[in-house]
Amino acid sequence: MANISLNRQVFDKQQFENTVDTSFTQLNIPVTSSATTTPPTIEQFFNYYNQLFYQIPKLGDTNSHSYLVKTSGEYIGSTQNDDVIQALIDEINVLRQQVLDLQTQTSSQTLTSLKNTLNNING
């Protein structure tokens, strides 16, 4: 049988960091195909959009139809609908006040009519 002599070299932490390269410079990370492909054309984008239309959630903070409407509206400066909506809200508020005024007036007239009827009965 042969004698084999094994020697072991021990480093403290500082010596180890100074001696052994612990970075991952030797690994070859493959490039994914999505990083090397060109983005879709506008026509392709809309084709994808039409194919995925019913799979896209209606509501949501991101990745939804409401998100697309909101961000596209912000991009094109869509305030036209906001102005129409505000005008309709103002009109609704005016009409509500008119209904309230008419209800108050009708209640007052009914109360006065009842008082007159009671006074006539009691005579």
Side-chain angles (χ1 to χ4, degrees):
M1 202 186 264
N3 279 339
I4 299 176
S5 176
L6 297 175
N7 292 325
R8 165 175 101 165
Q9 187 176 7
V10 178
F11 297 105
D12 66 17
K13 182 177 181 190
Q14 187 62 40
Q15 284 178 318
F16 179 80
E17 289 175 356
N18 290 338
T19 307
V20 178
D21 183 9
T22 59
S23 65
F24 291 103
T25 58
Q26 300 300 316
L27 295 178
N28 184 11
I29 301 171
V31 177
T32 60
S33 62
S34 64
T36 59
T37 61
T38 58
T41 65
I42 293 174
E43 183 177 349
Q44 289 171 327
F45 169 80
F46 282 104
N47 285 336
Y48 294 145
Y49 176 75
N50 289 330
Q51 291 172 8
L52 298 170
F53 185 84
Y54 292 107
Q55 296 173 27
I56 299 170
K58 289 181 183 179
L59 304 174
D61 293 337
T62 59
N63 299 337
S64 67
H65 287 288
S66 62
Y67 174 77
L68 289 172
V69 169
K70 179 180 174 257
T71 55
S72 295
E74 289 171 357
Y75 177 72
I76 62 171
S78 175
T79 58
Q80 192 173 34
N81 285 341
D82 293 342
D83 295 340
V84 170
I85 291 170
Q86 188 58 50
L88 292 171
I89 289 171
D90 293 342
E91 183 178 353
I92 289 169
N93 288 333
V94 167
L95 291 171
R96 284 182 176 165
Q97 186 60 49
Q98 288 175 355
V99 167
L100 182 61
D101 292 345
L102 287 171
Q103 286 175 336
T104 303
Q105 181 183 0
T106 303
S107 296
S108 177
Q109 288 173 351
T110 302
L111 186 60
T112 302
S113 177
L114 284 173
K115 284 181 184 178
N116 290 338
T117 303
L118 284 173
N119 285 337
N120 289 339
I121 291 174
N122 292 332

